[in-house]
Amino acid sequence: MSDATLHAANRNPDDFSVQIADQIESFLVAVTEVAKGDEPDSTVPFLLLEVSQLMLAGGRLGAHEDIVPEERYEPDGGPEADVDELRENLARLLEPVDVYSEVFDPYEPRTAPVPARISDDLTDVITDLRHGMVHYRAGRTTEALWWWQFSYFSNWGPTASATLRALQSVVAHVRLDQPLAALDGLDTDQGMGDDTLEFEAGKVMAEEIGTPLGMRPVT
């Protein structure tokens, strides 16, 4: 099924599968556009909005009854699209606020936080969503929904949730005029000390994120 027939007239816009596919497709298109870097000053606010909207689709999938695929084995959707360029572009746009601290399971006692990257997380989520979209475009709607639901629980849901928390935290630091704390011990691959990282992160938030949010850049 081509892009032109993805939302053919015989697909009811009120149908659950169509709504989920629309939300996922919107996220894929939007993040791909953001990664092009045409509006770098709005990168974080745009990503915050898009990930927030994606989580609505995830919540609906999570609340839905278990979706059972029609076939016992998943049909081969072909090779996965390369996401290296997308990841690199996002990392460049988000530097140096790309790295953040995350706890994988909030219900696991004494779980130590680990470093993560927003750029890695977003491309990981996109890979999962694209995989399901291949099935959807091929007319395998139940297979697509099963994959999106399964991977929501197993991978892209927790990953997107963590990314959303990080993005929201960055915006909150800007809106509340709170300096970003040094990222002690995180592997940033920047070769910078904590003081330099803190200064650069604060400068990026003020100049690239604060301005589109209506805050005066720090001079």
Side-chain angles (χ1 to χ4, degrees), residues 1-11 18 25 136-139 141:
M1 181 179 296
S2 67
D3 289 344
T5 58
L6 177 58
H7 302 301
N10 62 346
R11 290 181 178 268
V18 175
E25 184 183 30
Y136 185 78
R137 287 176 172 158
T141 302

Side-chain angles (χ1 to χ4, degrees), residues 92-116:
R92 174 177 52 81
L93 288 168
L94 292 165
E95 185 182 10
V97 297
D98 193 18
V99 178
Y100 69 98
S101 180
E102 168 62 4
V103 175
F104 283 126
D105 190 343
Y107 286 98
E108 182 69 24
R110 294 180 297 281
T111 299
V114 296

Side-chain angles (χ1 to χ4, degrees), residues 65-217:
E65 62 184 8
D66 287 348
I67 299 169
V68 180
E70 297 172 352
E71 301 181 28
R72 182 175 180 182
Y73 299 103
E74 182 184 7
D76 184 8
E80 301 285 355
D82 183 60
V83 294
D84 286 344
E85 182 178 359
L86 179 67
R87 179 185 291 106
E88 291 170 2
N89 288 343
L90 288 170
R92 174 177 52 81
L93 288 168
L94 292 165
E95 185 182 10
V97 297
D98 193 18
V99 178
Y100 69 98
S101 180
E102 168 62 4
V103 175
F104 283 126
D105 190 343
Y107 286 98
E108 182 69 24
R110 294 180 297 281
T111 299
V114 296
R117 290 182 181 273
I118 297 174
S119 56
D120 288 343
D121 288 351
L122 287 174
T123 48
D124 194 21
V125 169
I126 284 175
T127 298
D128 274 350
L129 299 180
R130 282 179 175 175
H131 185 92
M133 189 60 73
V134 169
H135 291 309
Y136 185 78
R137 287 176 172 158
R140 298 187 291 268
T141 302
T142 304
E143 191 73 35
L145 289 174
W146 169 80
W147 172 258
W148 285 328
Q149 185 187 60
F150 167 76
S151 56
Y152 168 74
F153 289 124
S154 62
N155 187 51
W156 76 258
T159 302
S161 296
T163 305
L164 179 62
R165 180 74 178 94
L167 292 167
Q168 190 274 339
S169 179
V170 172
V171 174
H173 275 286
V174 172
R175 294 300 297 270
L176 299 176
D177 196 19
Q178 296 174 344
L180 185 68
L183 304 178
D184 296 325
L186 291 186
D187 178 15
T188 62
D189 296 326
Q190 302 293 329
M192 297 189 294
D194 291 339
D195 292 341
T196 304
L197 178 58
E198 181 175 6
F199 172 76
E200 291 296 329
K203 186 172 66 174
V204 167
M205 287 197 300
E207 295 179 354
E208 298 185 4
I209 303 168
T211 299
L213 289 176
M215 293 187 61
R216 182 176 302 173

